[in-house]
Amino acid sequence: MDQDSHCTAERELLEAVSRITTFSTTSPSEEEKNQPKAEISCQVRKENPEKDDLQDSSASLSPNSSMTTKELQEYWRNEKCQYRQVKLLFEIPSTRIVEHRLSKYVMYKIIILQTGSFDSNKSVIERRYSDFEKLHRNLLEEFSEEMEDVTFPKKTLTGNFTEEVINERKLAFKDYLRLLYSMKYIRRSKKFIDFLTRLELQEAYGCLRGGHYTKALEILLEVIGLQERLTRGNPVSIVPTLCAIVVCHKDLENPASAFEYGEKALSRLRVHTSHRYYIPLLETMITLAYELGKDFLSLQEKLEEWKAKKDPIRVFTLKELAVREYVQ
């Protein structure tokens, strides 16, 4: 191909891209039309100032004649990555009124399930108005810009327990959770994840400390599925819960199940050998492997290798670590 033909072909490619760009900026898709406004506003937030600077400098870029084909492809990939379809759905199908001698409040039943597939392991939690209010207040401290267009149901002086007000709040809280989850940096935040899991974890660890391992295990197995869905980008964060499940199974004399969950925890610590749970977990896994007739030598080698590299320090047992979690 001669030089004039090559230039003509390149010019035609760029003109085609320009037409696509014009169309995409003037004719948004139905998904983009329906996307919550707050989600769009939060997409400029980055993990750190350095990335913010890079994003600000690249934000002014648009597909134009100065970009090569490779750069154009990279540009469109980045644009596509700006939007992520919601993976979890939040439903609030029912409520119940709780009355104590000095207080009365409404508990909202929240069902959390995954979209796009049959989710047989849906998670069910209950939260009251004050729990939502605390979450909103905490998120405003850290994500004031992203929360700018997020509305929160206001308190009323009277009528809080009427069917009309309760139904309105059910719909409002459902939309509120959906909107929060649609924002990348909020759904990954510890404050949002704690709102959905902390109360159940506190109850589970309280049962564990009290020796009620069956009840603790029941709660932990319900929570771990939700934690896994919420923390896909940070698998190490669920190691304490996995280890608590190991402790419960071990004390309930279910070594095979304890070993199964211990393997899951170890796989998440493969490159995090300085994690406080790593050595206690290794020691427990060696005991379980020996009891089950499995290969414990490779685990023993890892333990000896770690001890050879580190200065001798006092290490808690796995159970000692577990009972210290969520201590008020």
Side-chain angles (χ1 to χ4, degrees), residues 179-218:
L179 185 55
L180 292 182
Y181 186 79
S182 72
M183 303 180 198
K184 175 182 176 182
Y185 294 96
I186 288 182
R187 71 169 170 262
R188 292 182 178 179
S189 70
K190 185 177 184 301
K191 292 175 180 178
F192 181 68
I193 294 171
D194 277 354
F195 168 78
L196 297 172
T197 61
R198 187 175 181 86
L199 291 180
E200 286 70 26
L201 286 172
Q202 286 177 330
E203 181 183 0
Y205 278 97
C207 291
L208 192 156
R209 282 189 290 273
H212 306 297
Y213 301 114
T214 301
K215 181 61 177 178
L217 183 60
E218 178 186 338

Side-chain angles (χ1 to χ4, degrees), residues 26 28 39 43 57 71 75-76 82-83 90 101 111 121 153 176 183 187 208 231 262 276 293 316:
T26 57
E39 178 181 6
Q43 288 163 356
S57 64
E71 289 171 337
Y75 174 87
W76 289 117
Q82 289 294 321
Y83 299 92
F90 298 86
R101 199 167 79 176
I111 298 178
N121 295 319
Y176 178 73
M183 303 180 198
R187 71 169 170 262
L208 192 156
T231 61
R276 71 185 190 282
F316 292 110

Side-chain angles (χ1 to χ4, degrees), residues 17-32:
V17 171
S18 178
R19 286 196 297 274
I20 294 172
T21 307
T22 303
F23 176 78
S24 66
T25 54
T26 57
S27 305
S29 65
E30 288 302 315
E31 181 181 352
E32 290 167 336

Side-chain angles (χ1 to χ4, degrees), residues 251-282:
D251 279 51
L252 289 170
E253 298 183 357
N254 300 323
S257 297
F259 191 83
E260 176 189 348
Y261 280 92
E263 285 187 316
K264 291 180 180 180
L266 270 183
S267 69
R268 286 161 171 79
L269 295 179
R270 188 174 294 113
V271 294
H272 301 279
T273 57
S274 60
H275 195 281
R276 71 185 190 282
Y277 271 89
Y278 182 68
I279 293 305
L281 179 59
L282 262 184

Side-chain angles (χ1 to χ4, degrees), residues 124-228:
V124 181
I125 61 176
E126 282 190 317
R127 296 294 182 268
R128 55 189 290 188
Y129 181 93
S130 60
D131 296 322
F132 281 97
E133 189 177 40
K134 181 180 179 181
L135 169 67
H136 190 71
R137 187 168 58 249
N138 289 339
L139 290 177
L140 282 174
E141 294 176 357
E142 186 174 353
F143 303 101
S144 57
E145 183 179 343
E146 290 84 344
M147 299 288 289
E148 185 177 4
D149 296 323
V150 178
T151 57
F152 187 81
K154 294 182 179 179
K155 280 186 176 179
T156 58
L157 295 177
T158 59
N160 284 309
F161 302 101
T162 63
E163 185 177 354
E164 181 182 2
V165 170
I166 290 174
N167 286 334
E168 285 179 359
R169 286 184 175 174
K170 277 168 56 178
L171 294 174
F173 284 141
K174 172 185 172 180
D175 290 339
Y176 178 73
L177 291 173
R178 178 189 61 83
L179 185 55
L180 292 182
Y181 186 79
S182 72
M183 303 180 198
K184 175 182 176 182
Y185 294 96
I186 288 182
R187 71 169 170 262
R188 292 182 178 179
S189 70
K190 185 177 184 301
K191 292 175 180 178
F192 181 68
I193 294 171
D194 277 354
F195 168 78
L196 297 172
T197 61
R198 187 175 181 86
L199 291 180
E200 286 70 26
L201 286 172
Q202 286 177 330
E203 181 183 0
Y205 278 97
C207 291
L208 192 156
R209 282 189 290 273
H212 306 297
Y213 301 114
T214 301
K215 181 61 177 178
L217 183 60
E218 178 186 338
I219 300 171
L220 290 168
L221 290 175
E222 289 181 0
V223 175
I224 192 66
L226 179 56
Q227 277 189 305
E228 287 176 331

